[in-house]
Amino acid sequence: MQNTFIIGVIISTTNVRTFDATQTKFNKGERSVWSFILRDSEKDFINVTVWGNTEFVKKLSSTFNIGSVVEVISPKIVKRQPNDRNEQFIPSTSSPFTLIVNEGIALIQKHDAPTHEQYKNLLMQPVKSVTSVKSLKAILDNIEALCDHFVDLLVVVTFIADTRNIMTRDGRALLCRSFEVTDGSTDNAVSLILWEKDWVERSAFWEPKRTVLFLIDARIAYDEYKKKMALSISRQTLIMECPNIPQAAEIRNAVQRYDPDSICSDPFAVPNPDTITTVMTVQQITEKLQKKVTVEGERLQFAAIVKVSVTEMNLDGSLQDVISIKCALCKKVVTDVQDSCMNLSCPAGNGIRTPLNTTKFNIKVNLKDDTGYLIGCRLIGDVAERVLGCTVEEFQAMTVENRGELKWLYLLEKCNVCLHILGPTSAFPRALYNILSIQPCSEETEEAIEQTTAMLEN
Ligand SMILES: [Zn+2]
């Protein structure tokens, strides 16, 4: 069909993918692709793929996101083929067709008309009946048999981690966010990761025990990283926020008994300190850690606020004690800023790529309250930069005396410290206490920190 015009709301998007096309038949340098799912009725939704030069594609992807109501003008309409490899990388849609927007031939623009709201309302309605849903218990009990299958789930979010920047082995920077869900059918929560930028940003507004998600075609597969079968969000999975269906209320009720600040399995999921509400003493933390760990191979994790004084911060020692330098690609430790990675199987180590190191704070802090001590709490990365009010580069440029002085911002002060606590495992017999934030209780200290920050900025 020629000159078509389709209006709908964007219900899901992918990241822009860029590749060098000089070796292909197009021979046009760098090209990019971006796709999204467009919906225009209760039942109908279709995949749209945008092709063009990187600037064109990035402009569209940053202008429109989940919830935008758009007009797709003059796209190429293609019949979906069941054996098409591309079908593996997009959610399955109700439409037998797919739309292709080629730069210069088709257009996408904002739909600015009174009907806008009627499309927008479709965003929160499930695209199909939730009768296809399997309970989490049924899935976890049969997870081996379900290998390489796709399942539908209706779940409530129980935990949302902070975003994380990851450098892949081939040097691409990715933003991701872990979160956890459950449905009341089991005591277990399941940890999932969002990789698509739009969803990573949108999930910042999810609320623990409130946000209900309909996950269509979540994938069950062997997870090389966790070394077991696991559920995951793949590129075929369609995520829908469904706050208003009757089942959402039921499922919210079923999870109210969950401990608010417990976290399940992903040891790299860093809790957002603003969401932590549980206050504990050092003794309560110690007692909780001594209780037997639940499932074999799973690490006990929880988050808590402790009201403590900071008794030690090792800022005046040698730089090597407070800063860790790693290869950005393979994450192996590099001994000095000037050194390069020595790992011969890493592109930066064997000379294929220019070495790139990442430098991070890695500070040890001791805390104390009336019930006991927590020794060797870790204050690392961005959190350390926020707490000290300077970047790791600024810190390296300071004199030893100035570095040492920074600790007096907190030392012996009463503070509210948010901790992410990881229990011991057979491989790591010591518990880890990761500091997520330090808030001094007195206003004077807060002022002093602001002054230091201002001084460093000038
Ligand atoms: Zn390396």
Side-chain angles (χ1 to χ4, degrees):
M1 212 188 279
Q2 299 296 313
N3 297 331
T4 48
F5 184 97
I6 302 129
I7 306 167
V9 59
I10 296 179
I11 60 168
S12 192
T13 66
T14 66
N15 290 344
V16 172
R17 290 176 170 84
T18 297
F19 51 93
D20 181 6
T22 46
Q23 306 302 318
T24 70
K25 61 180 175 179
F26 302 109
N27 198 18
K28 277 182 190 154
E30 204 179 64
R31 300 220 344 137
S32 289
V33 58
W34 174 55
S35 55
F36 60 87
I37 306 273
L38 190 70
R39 181 179 188 189
D40 73 348
S41 82
E42 256 177 57
K43 289 218 173 70
D44 304 294
F45 56 112
I46 193 166
N47 187 69
V48 184
T49 305
V50 181
W51 290 92
N53 77 45
T54 302
E55 196 187 343
F56 169 80
V57 175
K58 286 207 164 147
K59 176 125 197 287
L60 283 178
S61 80
S62 59
T63 311
F64 302 114
N65 42 40
I66 298 165
S68 299
V69 179
V70 296
E71 300 168 353
V72 179
I73 302 161
S74 188
K76 185 171 159 193
I77 303 172
V78 180
K79 187 142 177 50
R80 285 165 57 201
Q81 302 295 337
N83 308 330
D84 186 352
R85 217 179 84 83
N86 290 329
E87 289 276 314
Q88 290 172 17
F89 301 113
I90 48 173
S92 179
T93 55
S94 67
S95 170
F97 303 101
T98 178
L99 302 180
I100 300 190
V101 170
N102 282 311
E103 180 182 4
I105 298 167
L107 266 187
I108 302 174
Q109 65 185 34
K110 187 170 175 230
H111 177 64
D112 216 349
T115 46
H116 179 272
E117 278 309 300
Q118 133 201 355
Y119 288 105
K120 192 117 189 163
N121 290 340
L122 292 169
L123 182 63
M124 303 276 185
Q125 289 174 29
V127 291
K128 63 176 189 180
S129 149
V130 295
T131 48
S132 59
V133 158
K134 275 196 165 52
S135 79
L136 213 47
K137 180 172 173 22
I139 291 167
L140 296 177
D141 286 351
N142 300 293
I143 198 149
E144 300 290 331
L146 288 167
C147 180
D148 293 326
H149 280 64
F150 290 88
V151 289
D152 294 349
L153 296 163
L154 189 69
V155 287
V156 65
V157 173
T158 51
F159 166 76
I160 306 138
D162 252 354
T163 55
R164 212 164 6 126
N165 282 297
I166 284 187
M167 180 84 81
T168 61
R169 278 178 184 274
D170 55 357
R172 285 173 302 133
L174 280 178
L175 184 70
C176 69
R177 188 198 298 277
S178 303
F179 68 105
E180 293 179 2
V181 299
T182 193
D183 66 356
S185 67
T186 159
D187 284 338
N188 295 319
V190 167
S191 169
L192 298 167
I193 303 180
L194 297 167
W195 294 100
E196 308 299 337
K197 187 177 136 284
D198 241 17
W199 279 112
V200 171
E201 285 170 6
R202 204 172 163 85
S203 57
F205 301 99
W206 291 354
E207 290 175 70
K209 295 192 181 183
R210 289 284 317 154
T211 303
V212 172
L213 303 178
F214 185 21
L215 303 177
I216 299 164
D217 289 332
R219 183 161 182 250
I220 299 170
Y222 184 76
D223 186 322
E224 286 292 342
Y225 202 73
K226 293 178 183 164
K227 301 273 176 250
K228 62 174 187 181
M229 298 289 291
L231 265 166
S232 68
I233 296 199
S234 75
R235 281 158 72 179
Q236 276 153 293
T237 310
L238 184 59
I239 305 169
M240 301 219 66
E241 295 164 358
C242 295
N244 300 326
I245 55 172
Q247 294 87 342
E250 279 169 39
I251 206 159
R252 271 188 213 113
N253 283 335
V255 303
Q256 291 310 313
R257 62 189 163 92
Y258 283 87
D259 181 0
D261 291 324
S262 79
I263 307 153
C264 79
S265 51
D266 180 355
F268 295 100
V270 179
N272 174 354
D274 299 338
T275 65
I276 298 168
T277 53
T278 311
V279 177
M280 293 176 89
T281 63
V282 171
Q283 189 180 358
Q284 284 168 331
I285 290 174
T286 313
E287 282 166 5
K288 186 159 178 162
L289 283 169
Q290 276 158 356
K291 279 189 196 141
K292 197 67 208 117
V293 178
T294 45
V295 187
E296 172 74 23
E298 283 201 355
R299 194 166 195 180
L300 174 67
Q301 280 193 70
F302 56 99
I305 301 167
V306 285
K307 295 181 177 294
V308 287
S309 16
V310 177
T311 60
E312 181 55 50
M313 223 183 231
N314 65 336
L315 292 179
D316 32 19
S318 91
L319 261 188
Q320 279 177 352
D321 292 339
V322 282
I323 283 172
S324 77
I325 307 161
K326 286 182 182 170
C327 167
L329 297 183
C330 72
K331 321 289 184 241
K332 286 241 166 33
V333 174
V334 177
T335 42
D336 191 86
V337 192
Q338 270 80 38
D339 284 354
S340 69
C341 165
M342 299 296 279
N343 173 8
L344 288 178
S345 55
C346 164
N350 60 25
I352 293 176
R353 288 179 71 120
T354 317
L356 179 63
N357 293 336
T358 56
T359 310
K360 269 199 203 173
F361 274 118
N362 188 3
I363 302 164
K364 296 272 190 302
V365 178
N366 296 347
L367 304 175
K368 168 185 183 276
D369 72 2
D370 294 340
T371 67
Y373 286 85
L374 292 175
I375 306 297
C377 301
R378 306 193 309 166
L379 177 61
I380 43 188
D382 299 348
V383 180
E385 294 194 348
R386 277 198 294 274
V387 166
L388 297 179
C390 66
T391 66
V392 70
E393 289 78 20
E394 287 165 341
F395 184 81
Q396 282 171 293
M398 285 181 197
T399 62
V400 180
E401 289 74 30
N402 285 345
R403 284 181 208 148
E405 273 165 29
L406 282 177
K407 73 177 176 186
W408 290 102
L409 294 173
Y410 296 98
L411 221 57
L412 308 176
E413 290 290 335
K414 274 267 184 226
C415 298
N416 286 334
V417 178
C418 268
L419 287 175
H420 176 207
I421 300 144
L422 293 102
T425 64
S426 46
F428 299 98
R430 254 173 62 90
L432 291 179
Y433 310 100
N434 291 330
I435 295 175
L436 303 174
S437 71
I438 304 184
Q439 291 291 337
C441 297
S442 85
E443 279 173 24
E444 275 170 47
T445 319
E446 263 185 84
E447 266 170 38
I449 294 164
E450 271 164 32
Q451 278 168 11
T452 319
T453 318
M455 195 180 75
L456 286 164
E457 277 164 5
N458 289 334

